[in-house]
Amino acid sequence: MSRPVRIAAAAYPFDWFDDLAAYEAKITAWVTDAADCDLLVFPEYGAMELASLGGPEIARDLEASLHEVVHHEAARDALHARLAAEHGCHILATSGPAFPTRGGRPVNRAVLFGPQGRIGHQDKQIMTRFEREDWNVTGAPGLQVFDTPVGKLGIIICYDSEFPLLARKLAEAGAEILLAPSCTDSVAGFMRVRIGCMARALENQCVVVQAPTVGDCDWNPAIDENRGIAAIYAPPDGLWPETGIVAEGVMDAPGWIKAEIDLDRIAESRRNGRVLPFAHWPESEDVPLQS
């Protein structure tokens, strides 16, 4: 018996929009292009391209651009819900700012949609220096696992992928696939997330999907440079590719990468892999530090 799931990860470029219809046309085209898949993963902060709808002055201002993007949140959610229903797929939309409390600071939120509508959201947990020191985007503590027809999903947004205990909590709660939308402005930044994602796949014997932003964007200082490769990772433990890379694209090349994975193979890895780090993790927690 197998439980196949076809996954698409986006390497996503930013565009300037003169109206909301142009944005809707872009997202519709991207989803249509991956409609042969069950699970579509868009990157971190891709929603920031909606700041262009406020015009050049708004778009180039760090604070004003956050509020402009939030202004279009309802329309963005409605679009993704409609596309998920039309194509019978699950979509992790590009993340973007949200204001959980009036007068508070924004969080970085990724929203998951399914054929029946909005499933829920995950906020980024640990903020980078730029988010803390320049942008004042804040973390929102709390993780959750989404039990869906395409598997039990957890979301580790960009920098979150570099912290093993976050992914471990999700895996212990049943997550089979970890979604890692990312936005990095250098190859080094991309590699930090890539290495984190591959390590999380190894430690938890699960599948990790990395979807980055790519290309230059000269009209907003938060997303001005973007480097990355879309990829799907697995544990290199004998049941998966020896490299741990199920599929990957080309550096900075926009588009989808796609692959089919078997959810039952994740369970088999955890039960009968050549090594069993998921099962043996507790042994590492009790090792004393000797002086």
Side-chain angles (χ1 to χ4, degrees):
M1 182 178 176
S2 65
R3 293 186 294 155
V5 174
R6 188 160 171 79
I7 301 172
Y12 186 82
F14 291 99
D15 286 305
W16 179 273
F17 302 117
D18 292 321
D19 54 43
L20 188 60
Y23 168 77
E24 292 175 343
K26 176 183 180 179
I27 297 298
T28 299
W30 273 77
V31 171
T32 300
D33 192 40
D36 58 334
C37 295
D38 307 299
L39 173 62
L40 284 59
V41 184
F42 282 100
E44 179 189 36
Y45 282 128
M48 289 307 301
E49 63 186 348
L50 284 165
S52 61
L53 294 175
E57 186 173 346
I58 294 292
R60 65 172 172 259
D61 183 278
L62 279 175
E63 183 66 18
S65 62
L66 289 169
H67 293 271
E68 179 65 26
V69 174
V70 171
H71 178 70
H72 303 285
E73 181 179 2
R76 185 162 59 100
D77 283 3
L79 171 65
H80 286 84
R82 176 175 61 80
L83 291 171
E86 286 181 3
H87 296 287
C89 63
H90 287 71
I91 304 171
L92 184 70
T94 57
S95 83
F99 286 84
T101 60
R102 180 171 294 184
R105 294 304 303 163
V107 298
N108 178 6
R109 176 167 292 175
V111 181
L112 180 66
F113 299 88
Q116 306 306 316
R118 190 183 194 277
I119 295 173
H121 69 265
Q122 177 65 63
D123 295 335
K124 190 173 184 177
Q125 300 297 289
I126 301 176
M127 315 315 287
T128 63
R129 290 192 64 186
F130 175 78
E131 287 170 312
R132 295 167 189 254
E133 299 170 15
D134 298 309
W135 216 5
N136 200 11
V137 176
T138 64
L143 295 166
Q144 57 183 316
V145 173
F146 303 95
D147 193 351
T148 77
V150 296
K152 294 181 180 180
L153 310 178
I155 302 169
I156 45 175
I157 300 174
C158 200
Y159 195 36
D160 286 351
S161 69
E162 300 178 35
F163 295 88
L165 296 183
L166 298 180
R168 181 65 190 180
K169 288 179 180 178
L170 291 168
E172 288 180 340
E176 300 165 296
I177 303 173
L178 299 178
L179 311 182
S182 66
C183 179
T184 52
D185 63 1
S186 66
V187 173
F190 160 71
M191 288 302 300
R192 288 193 294 269
V193 178
R194 176 183 174 96
I195 291 167
C197 288
M198 295 185 78
R200 306 298 82 83
L202 168 63
E203 295 158 355
N204 298 296
Q205 294 182 276
C206 66
V207 169
V208 181
V209 184
Q210 184 179 3
T213 53
V214 295
D216 294 335
C217 177
D218 60 6
W219 46 263
N220 183 277
I223 51 172
D224 52 351
E225 297 177 89
N226 302 272
R227 309 298 307 273
I229 301 171
I232 299 172
Y233 309 113
D237 68 357
L239 298 174
W240 303 89
E242 291 186 341
T243 61
I245 301 171
V246 177
E248 66 177 341
V250 175
M251 178 65 76
D252 300 336
W256 293 105
I257 63 100
K258 303 174 181 179
E260 183 174 288
I261 63 102
D262 183 354
L263 293 176
D264 283 346
R265 184 173 291 184
I266 296 169
E268 179 63 16
S269 289
R270 291 173 172 177
R271 180 172 55 249
N272 197 32
R274 290 184 181 175
V275 291
L276 299 172
F278 178 74
H280 297 158
W281 175 283
E283 296 178 21
S284 71
E285 296 177 330
D286 299 324
V287 176
L289 181 64
Q290 297 180 338
S291 58

